[in-house]
Amino acid sequence: MSFLVRKLSLLLAALCLSTGASAEWRVAETKHFRVYSDGSEKALVAYARQLERFDWLLRLMTGAGAEREMPPLDVYMVRSQAKLRALADLPRDVGGFYHAASTGTAAFSVRVNDADDTALDILLHEYGHHFMMFHFPYVYPSWYVEGFAEYFSTADVKTDNMTMGRASQNRAAWLIYGNWIDARVLLTADAWSMKKRDDVAMFYAQSWLATHYLLRDPQRSRQLSAYLKRLSEGESLEAAFEPAFGIDMKTFNRQLNAYMKGKITYTKLTIKPGQIPEPPVSVSALPPAAETLLLPYAMLKARARDTEAADTLVAGLRRDALRYPGDPWTAEVIAAVEAEFGDAAQGRKLLGPLMEARPDDAELNYLMGRSHMRSAEDGEVEANHAQARRHFTRAFKTRPHHYQTLYNYVRAQPDPRRPDVVTVLAEARALAPQVSEINVALAALLVETGEFERAQNILGAMMMNPHSPPSDYVVDLLQRARAGAGTQTVSPEAAR
């Protein structure tokens, strides 16, 4: 869940200062992850393999195919909660967060401790969202979005005797001792709409219980599928409930309460030797500058839309980069910072020598294109957009599944309504359906080009986002899509 909110400039500046003794940062790369850590290499490799095993389990249980592979997810393992809180304005008990933006998608977590799986549970929860949105980007009630992630987050995939479906101690305690929220609130509201922290905690606990109750019984699982089908066809959360489940919401909540008081089961999976392919893991050491620059740069990509926060991070990165003269890694980082978030012309100047040595490098071409996009905001729009398209096209040739490249290529088009351009944006969304900017851009184009039903499907899912309320623009766009399709226009409340 994304808890990123506006941070005081003082804390952001502090993030860019060197703290404590230097530690060596490494990155472990697998098929689905790039994991960064300043812990031991042995622990890093074990953790990367554990994430791959979790991905395997999700594919097994959901039937997700391998025909569309997700781009690798960047995961940053931070050594302490104090350092994690310096990255974002988080409550003291939060051990990780996930952020998806048009400039990058990443998860941040406290390093996993064998004695305490809390940090791992949080990261698996966030990856559950990431996985669900990529492979099954449909309309879901908020309780099921969170319940699905909670259900799988406690999976134990360390050994070949896997388990899943256990309740976390925290969620179980809230279910036993907490004050349950009203059935209608649980089944139609979102965590972001709740004002009290206790209600938020109960929402997550009851969402886990509801999902556990439905998924572990074949008949109830079929009812859930019928309910989700009705939602995908445009029915509201309340109107679809009783026809799908055969009971009203209050009765459902009473059944959940009775279920909790019974014997809660979980699943044991005995994996045969060789059933899970041993994922290859490539480990690279990062230079000493990573201790100071890596996390601020990662957060800059996550928080680019927060202008004040981005400006503070850019200033800190510029200052700290001066400590590493002649370091090639630092040179590339600061070139990227300037090109995407700082002085675009300076970014092009710094990228020039790098591109002379590697003219076909996908990342360098992407960054050069981004610098022209930013320069277009100040003038010479057509010339800058033409240069941007040229670089994005070169980047695409060697890295075709980079959603940021596709999205920016569309933004640089003189007429994005062309069918071939809409197709490119649809591919960007297919690669990153969790990125709201891409969803909104595609839905707007579909409304403009008269593809109202496709727009409704995208916007309907955004209306159900459990992490943030829909903007007024999204609500208006959905009303326009429904009007164009000849379906009933709805308020935000009625759409839920």
Side-chain angles (χ1 to χ4, degrees):
M1 53 201 122
S2 177
F3 290 96
L4 294 179
V5 295
R6 182 169 298 276
K7 186 72 173 165
L8 295 175
S9 296
L10 183 61
L11 282 177
L12 283 169
L15 175 61
C16 295
L17 298 177
S18 178
T19 58
S22 177
E24 184 176 32
W25 278 85
R26 300 176 180 86
V27 56
E29 299 186 63
T30 66
K31 185 174 184 179
H32 300 107
F33 302 93
R34 283 187 297 264
V35 187
Y36 298 84
S37 173
D38 60 352
S40 72
E41 181 173 346
K42 180 181 178 181
L44 174 61
V45 170
Y47 189 67
R49 286 192 169 134
Q50 201 167 335
L51 289 175
E52 282 290 344
R53 289 167 68 87
F54 182 64
D55 177 87
W56 179 89
L57 177 65
L58 287 176
R59 291 171 189 274
L60 175 71
M61 301 309 299
T62 63
E67 60 275 4
R68 288 189 61 84
E69 285 296 347
M70 292 185 294
L73 176 65
D74 288 318
V75 179
Y76 296 89
M77 306 301 297
V78 182
R79 71 174 68 111
S80 68
Q81 280 196 320
K83 191 152 188 173
L84 188 71
R85 287 197 299 273
L87 290 171
D89 190 10
L90 302 170
R92 294 185 64 85
D93 57 348
V94 172
F97 61 91
Y98 167 93
H99 194 84
S102 61
T103 46
T105 299
F108 299 80
S109 173
V110 174
R111 282 211 308 258
V112 174
N113 182 339
D114 289 337
D116 182 5
D117 283 339
T118 303
L120 178 61
D121 290 352
I122 291 169
L123 187 52
L124 297 189
H125 175 107
E126 300 303 342
Y127 188 67
H129 287 317
H130 184 77
F131 183 95
M132 181 190 207
M133 284 301 299
F134 182 86
H135 289 285
F136 309 101
Y138 309 127
V139 176
Y140 302 102
S142 297
W143 62 265
Y144 184 65
V145 174
E146 294 303 339
F148 177 92
E150 283 289 302
Y151 181 80
F152 285 103
S153 70
T154 58
D156 185 348
V157 296
K158 296 185 187 73
T159 70
D160 286 345
N161 294 314
M162 292 185 177
T163 64
M164 63 174 218
R166 290 180 183 268
S168 71
Q169 292 183 352
N170 178 274
R171 303 305 185 210
W174 278 101
L175 288 170
I176 295 170
Y177 301 111
N179 294 317
W180 282 37
I181 56 178
D182 177 76
R184 185 181 179 280
V185 173
L186 169 67
L187 297 170
T188 64
D190 308 276
W192 55 260
S193 66
M194 299 177 188
K195 307 302 181 185
K196 299 178 181 178
R197 286 193 67 188
D198 284 6
D199 287 345
V200 174
M202 283 306 309
F203 176 81
Y204 280 93
Q206 287 176 248
S207 294
W208 171 84
L209 183 65
T211 303
H212 194 283
Y213 176 66
L214 294 172
L215 290 184
R216 300 188 68 78
D217 178 86
Q219 181 180 353
R220 292 194 290 264
S221 184
R222 288 192 292 272
Q223 291 173 333
L224 173 62
S225 295
Y227 182 56
L228 298 178
K229 185 174 186 294
R230 285 175 173 270
L231 295 182
S232 71
E233 293 170 350
E235 288 191 48
S236 72
L237 292 170
E238 288 194 71
F241 191 87
E242 192 165 342
F245 291 105
I247 54 175
D248 61 25
M249 291 182 172
K250 287 186 177 180
T251 302
F252 181 78
N253 219 26
R254 287 197 294 269
Q255 290 182 354
L256 287 185
N257 199 289
Y259 181 70
M260 181 201 69
K261 294 174 181 177
K263 187 176 181 180
I264 301 293
T265 62
Y266 64 93
T267 298
K268 291 183 178 180
L269 295 172
T270 300
I271 308 302
K272 298 177 181 178
Q275 187 174 353
I276 305 178
E278 184 74 3
V281 182
S282 172
V283 179
S284 303
L286 299 179
E291 171 67 12
T292 305
L293 304 179
L294 179 67
L295 292 177
Y297 179 47
M299 277 306 299
L300 178 59
K301 288 189 284 187
R303 304 195 65 185
R305 297 184 70 185
D306 183 340
T307 305
E308 183 180 342
D311 288 346
T312 303
L313 285 165
V314 167
L317 284 160
R318 285 170 175 162
R319 181 192 61 240
D320 289 341
L322 297 175
R323 297 164 51 187
Y324 306 98
D327 175 47
W329 185 85
T330 300
E332 292 203 25
V333 168
I334 202 63
V337 167
E338 297 291 1
E340 279 210 90
F341 312 107
D343 182 332
Q346 176 66 7
R348 285 193 292 276
K349 182 178 178 180
L350 296 173
L351 287 168
L354 301 174
M355 290 202 64
E356 286 182 10
R358 292 142 51 199
D360 296 322
D361 185 280
E363 181 66 9
L364 296 180
N365 274 288
Y366 166 73
L367 292 169
M368 190 68 84
R370 284 282 293 139
S371 75
H372 282 289
M373 292 294 293
R374 295 186 60 247
S375 290
E377 297 170 7
D378 298 323
E380 299 184 6
V381 175
E382 291 184 9
N384 275 301
H385 278 180
Q387 287 294 327
R389 291 195 300 272
R390 182 172 69 88
H391 286 289
F392 291 141
T393 299
R394 291 173 70 178
F396 172 80
K397 289 179 179 178
T398 54
R399 191 172 58 178
H401 303 303
H402 189 245
Y403 73 83
Q404 299 94 318
T405 298
L406 300 176
Y407 174 59
N408 281 279
Y409 175 81
V410 171
R411 292 179 63 223
Q413 292 295 323
D415 182 9
R417 295 169 298 179
R418 289 192 349 243
D420 59 319
V421 177
V422 175
T423 298
V424 172
L425 187 55
E427 176 63 16
R429 180 183 181 264
L431 291 167
Q434 69 276 27
V435 176
S436 61
E437 301 104 302
I438 297 177
N439 282 307
V440 172
L442 179 57
L445 276 182
L446 293 173
V447 168
E448 284 192 46
T449 55
E451 295 191 60
F452 300 114
E453 289 190 9
R454 285 180 67 192
Q456 282 187 84
N457 291 336
I458 295 169
L459 295 165
M462 294 189 73
M463 294 292 293
M464 302 288 185
N465 185 345
H467 298 136
S468 61
S471 67
D472 292 341
Y473 178 70
V474 168
V475 174
D476 177 67
L477 202 57
L478 178 59
Q479 290 175 336
R480 289 168 57 195
R482 291 193 167 181
T487 54
Q488 184 181 0
T489 59
V490 294
S491 66
E493 292 75 20
R496 306 200 65 77

